[in-house]
Each structure stands twice: as C-alpha cells, then as structure tokens.
Amino acid sequence: MSAARCAPEGVFELARPEIRALTPYASARSVAAASGILLNANENPWAPPGGAALRLNRYPDPQPSKLRTRLAGHYGVDPDNLLITRGSDEGIDLLTRTFCRPGLDRVLVCPPCFGMYAISARIQGCAVIEVPLIDHGAAFAFDPQGIGTAPACRLYFLCSPNNPTGNCIEPAQVVALAEQVSNHGLVVIDEAYVEFQRGASLAKQVAHTPNLVVLRTLSKAFALAACRIGVVIAGAVVIDLLRRIIAPYPLPGPAVAAALSALSGEALKRQARQIRTLHQEKSRLLEGLRRHSAIRQIWPGEANFILIRAADGPALVAAARAAGILLRDQSGQPGLENAIRITVGARRENTALLNFLETWPP
Ligand SMILES: *Cc1c(COP(=O)(O)O)cnc(C)c1O
C-alpha cells in the first residue's frame, strides 16, 4: 500500500514561512501587459539600432505567454504547471530558497551527480545528505532503500538520465519516493537529458503528485545553452511559490525569441535528426573506446555523453587538452577515480578524439 498523497495545501506548508508570508514585487510588466502608451516603466521610448523588432528598449514579459503555451504543449502539461527560468540552474536555486530553511532543512543528493544541487543547498545554509548511487560495475543504480533510511530531507534531487553516469531511474520509483516523503519533502527529477533517452518524461505526472517537480532545459538537445532557458514543471502550488521569489524580468527578449524558433515544427524535426546522428556517433565512439587498451571501464549511459575510466584519467585529460580537445575530468567525484566524461560531438570532432586516442598513451 502506498502512502497517502499529500494535499496541495500540504506542499504549501513545506515552503519557508518567510516565502509563505511574502507579497511578491509587482513589476510594471506583471501589473499590466505592454500595450498602449507605455509610460509606466521608465524605459527609453526609442529602440536601439536594429532592436525595434525585438523591442529591446522595453522590459520583457516576465513569463512570455506565447513561450509558456508552446512549452506547455511540448511537454504535455497545463501552462499553470510551468515556470520558465534562467536555465535549470535557476530552477534548482529557486526550489532551494523557497523550501529550505537555513540551518534546519536538509537536501538529499545521489552522487556522483550534477554539482549544482549541493552548491545551492550549501549557499542556502542547508546540510547535504549523500546517498550514493550503487556501483554495479557495468552501471550505476538509484538506491531507494538507502534513501528510505536517510534522515528526512526537504528536497530530494534525482537526475535521469544522470549526469555524469548516464543511468536512468524507473519513473515508478520516482513517484513512489514522492509519495513516501510527501509529509516532509519534494522530489525533484532533473530531466536535462531526457530527449536523448527515448524514454518517458515524468512531466505529466505533476498533475497527480503535488510534491513532484520536473526540471527540463533547452540547453542540451535544443541547442540553446547560451540562451539560458530552463523550465520547472510542478503543481500550481509549487509554481506559485517559486514565482514569488524569481527575479522580476528573468527572461531576455532575444533568448525568448530563440526559444520560440527552437520549438517550431521544422526545428523539432531538425532536433530529431540531430539526436539520431548523435546516437550513431556515440556508437562509433564507443567502438573506438572499447578497443582501447588504456581505457578500463565504459559507462555508455543513455544521454549525449559517455563516462569512461582510464588508467590515468587526469593524465589523459591533460594530454587531450594539449591536443586541443577538452574532456571533463570526473575524478573528483566519489567512486569516479580516473573517470572522464566525454560529450558526443559532431562527426569530425569525434574523429579528432579517436585519432588522438590512437596516439595515447605516448
Ligand atoms: C546541463 C545540465 C542542466 C542544465 O542546466 P541549465 O542551467 O539549464 O543550462 C541541468 N541539470 C543537469 C544534470 C545538467 O547536466
């Protein structure tokens, strides 16, 4: 029998008292849409050269409704279940500042994992509880039993496919954890790489699980890392709480315009082709890596990167760098001595890496 789901009011009670009591800042653009004669925001009435079409002299819509609608359609959720942020990094920060009381609340992470969860927690003055992924040799795995016996936390950060290990978590396990901790915490599932996985997103599940939060981003498969567009998907109670503390104008107009283009039917078809190409390229890289004598272990994972263990990881990263190829040293993460994360690039980039590897070790 699963634990009772918490009512939406229950999630509200999990927010910091200061945030529950806060009346958000009412910016000019949040009070009135930008139509008519605009004498309410102390802007310059003239657009800069070349900036008229994008209305660069005007403050942007805090949550551009066109982009919200497009993203909601793309993720299959209601627009009220979505907050657009400056990358997922901001989503992680907003969640931590909204729900975690400094010195009192704890945040759970499952290393090896993305570093920003623990950084945001420490900035907020919260203890970080680590329940490492289980290392099965061939793959890493989520440890629900370990999480079950850990001290109660306010936020549980999970990532699927996980960076840097590439393993996925069964959606049912994520929902089960959310139900299990609903009295005291929220489960945040970071789906930054879900587009590469051909698997199911938990986005639609937020309508049924008030303490479940899904993070999506346009930084990876959508090729918009420079635009800083992330999306928090959650029940309306959580979204309303996060909106109280987000910066008044987080989304620059040019970034919003680029995001809308990236969501066009044509662009989505191009993205699907690129993902197929990256899968082919990943297979080609894996073949080369498997034949290499100085590579001890390979975790192919389900994202657009490969994790490997080399005989001497830092030496390989340094030698590649000297050859003009940047790889990500992961040897600082627990359990990842000598590990390196390799992003799957374009064909000629991957070929350059394979050619370099033929010359290494010298
Ligand atoms: C790259 C990445 C993100 C994306 O962060 P943005 O701030 O949206 O660019 C989020 N989570 C993980 C695990 C990542 O690897």
Side-chain angles (χ1 to χ4, degrees):
M1 200 182 78
S2 69
R5 285 176 186 149
C6 64
E9 304 77 66
V11 192
F12 185 81
E13 297 305 318
L14 296 181
R16 288 171 47 214
E18 297 87 341
I19 308 303
R20 283 188 264 141
L22 188 71
T23 308
Y25 172 67
S27 65
R29 276 303 103 85
S30 70
V31 170
S35 65
I37 295 172
L38 304 181
L39 304 179
N40 64 345
N42 297 349
E43 299 147 336
N44 186 322
W46 299 287
L54 280 169
R55 291 163 63 87
L56 291 185
N57 55 320
R58 300 295 177 188
Y59 280 104
D61 187 339
Q63 287 289 300
S65 55
K66 207 165 155 196
L67 182 57
R68 268 181 95 203
T69 310
R70 282 296 280 131
L71 285 168
H74 184 71
Y75 298 135
V77 301
D78 191 281
D80 289 342
N81 290 138
L82 175 153
L83 183 71
I84 312 168
T85 57
R86 286 170 293 194
S88 297
D89 290 342
E90 184 176 44
I92 295 162
D93 174 62
L94 294 175
L95 286 161
T96 310
R97 285 193 289 130
T98 299
F99 290 100
C100 300
R101 295 166 298 173
L104 292 173
D105 292 320
R106 293 176 284 254
V107 168
L108 185 136
V109 298
C110 303
C113 64
F114 190 48
M116 283 310 294
Y117 316 135
I119 300 276
S120 287
R122 294 200 171 103
I123 291 171
Q124 182 67 0
C126 293
V128 177
I129 303 293
E130 297 192 342
V131 177
L133 297 175
I134 302 169
D135 182 356
H136 288 302
F140 285 85
F142 171 64
D143 179 11
Q145 279 81 31
I147 294 176
T149 57
C153 295
R154 189 63 101 216
L155 293 177
Y156 294 79
F157 282 104
L158 309 179
C159 185
S160 181
N162 186 52
N163 175 9
T165 56
N167 63 282
C168 293
I169 306 175
E170 278 300 320
Q173 289 190 307
V174 178
V175 177
L177 179 65
E179 292 179 349
Q180 190 185 317
V181 305
S182 64
N183 286 333
H184 59 264
L186 291 89
V187 170
V188 183
I189 177 86
D190 185 339
E191 296 185 339
Y193 300 97
V194 77
E195 289 88 353
F196 300 103
Q197 185 212 335
R198 310 167 217 238
S201 163
L202 274 163
K204 292 190 178 87
Q205 184 66 35
V206 303
H208 312 289
T209 311
N211 66 327
L212 177 68
V213 180
V214 177
L215 299 179
R216 301 289 296 259
T217 180
L218 302 193
S219 293
K220 306 286 159 57
F222 281 87
L224 288 182
C227 288
R228 313 304 305 128
I229 302 275
V231 186
V232 179
I233 302 171
V237 172
V238 170
I239 297 299
D240 285 346
L241 284 162
L242 301 181
R243 276 192 89 155
R244 294 178 183 209
I245 71 163
I246 196 169
Y249 300 112
L251 307 172
V256 170
L260 280 169
S261 301
L263 286 155
S264 73
E266 210 36 60
L268 291 172
K269 272 188 226 149
R270 190 182 328 121
Q271 182 194 89
R273 286 196 299 274
Q274 289 174 346
I275 290 173
R276 279 197 297 278
T277 303
L278 287 172
H279 279 126
Q280 288 160 7
E281 282 298 304
K282 185 173 170 180
S283 304
R284 194 166 71 90
L285 268 180
L286 281 169
E287 233 172 81
L289 292 166
R290 286 191 177 115
R291 273 190 269 110
H292 202 286
S293 60
I295 291 169
R296 300 283 152 85
Q297 204 167 359
I298 300 175
W299 295 273
E302 309 217 26
N304 63 335
F305 54 80
I306 299 165
L307 187 68
I308 65 165
R309 193 191 308 276
D312 184 341
L316 173 51
V317 171
R321 190 184 177 114
I325 301 170
L326 303 188
L327 307 174
R328 190 84 154 131
D329 190 344
Q330 295 287 336
S331 46
Q333 292 236 42
L336 290 190
E337 298 77 27
N338 292 312
I340 300 168
R341 193 191 64 202
I342 302 171
T343 305
V344 180
R347 186 171 178 84
R348 62 175 179 80
E349 296 173 319
N350 304 327
T351 300
L353 174 64
L354 290 170
N355 289 344
F356 159 76
L357 285 171
E358 303 263 313
T359 71
W360 189 87

